[in-house]
Amino acid sequence: MQIKSKITRILKFAIGDINYGIIVSKIKNRKYFQKHYSGSVARAANAEPIFIYIADGRVNHGGLADRLRGLVSLFDYCQMKGLQFKANFNDYFVLKSYLIEN
């Protein structure tokens, strides 16, 4: 048995299969986003939080219905909490072609 698979088995036993999957997922996400986003660039300093729904094709967003469900759910949440909402939806088609900006 390879050393990597032995370590994986030990970790899964020690922390559980679900926790192991979550940890591995977070590590993979961090590596993925480091390719696209730099930590050295200063973060934007907005007076109030802005929620941005992004469907730009860099990750699997699901089908059109899944994307619209996520978009509408986040919009509804922002409306209930009185928060600013923006959408960057430009994968497959440009959403501006079908919906009117508010």
Side-chain angles (χ1 to χ4, degrees):
M1 189 180 272
Q2 296 177 349
I3 293 175
K4 185 177 178 182
S5 63
K6 283 184 180 180
I7 292 171
T8 301
R9 270 186 51 217
I10 292 169
L11 283 173
K12 283 183 178 181
F13 177 77
I15 61 177
D17 285 342
I18 294 174
N19 289 335
Y20 177 79
I22 291 170
I23 291 169
V24 169
S25 173
K26 286 184 179 183
I27 291 169
K28 287 181 181 179
N29 284 344
R30 185 173 295 134
K31 286 180 182 178
Y32 171 79
F33 285 115
Q34 283 176 348
K35 288 188 256 179
H36 300 289
Y37 304 102
S38 171
S40 63
V41 177
R43 294 185 71 180
N46 299 322
E48 59 187 53
I50 300 172
F51 284 80
I52 304 172
Y53 178 85
I54 299 176
D56 58 1
R58 290 189 176 172
V59 296
N60 183 10
H61 304 291
L64 177 61
D66 294 326
R67 294 173 191 216
L68 290 176
R69 184 181 309 141
L71 179 82
V72 171
S73 297
L74 183 59
F75 177 76
D76 186 43
Y77 174 80
C78 290
Q79 289 290 310
M80 287 189 307
K81 300 290 184 180
L83 302 169
Q84 281 191 346
F85 172 79
K86 306 242 183 226
N88 179 9
F89 195 110
N90 57 10
D91 189 37
Y92 291 138
F93 61 88
V94 179
L95 194 62
K96 285 183 184 180
S97 303
Y98 302 98
L99 298 178
I100 299 170
E101 291 183 31
N102 197 359

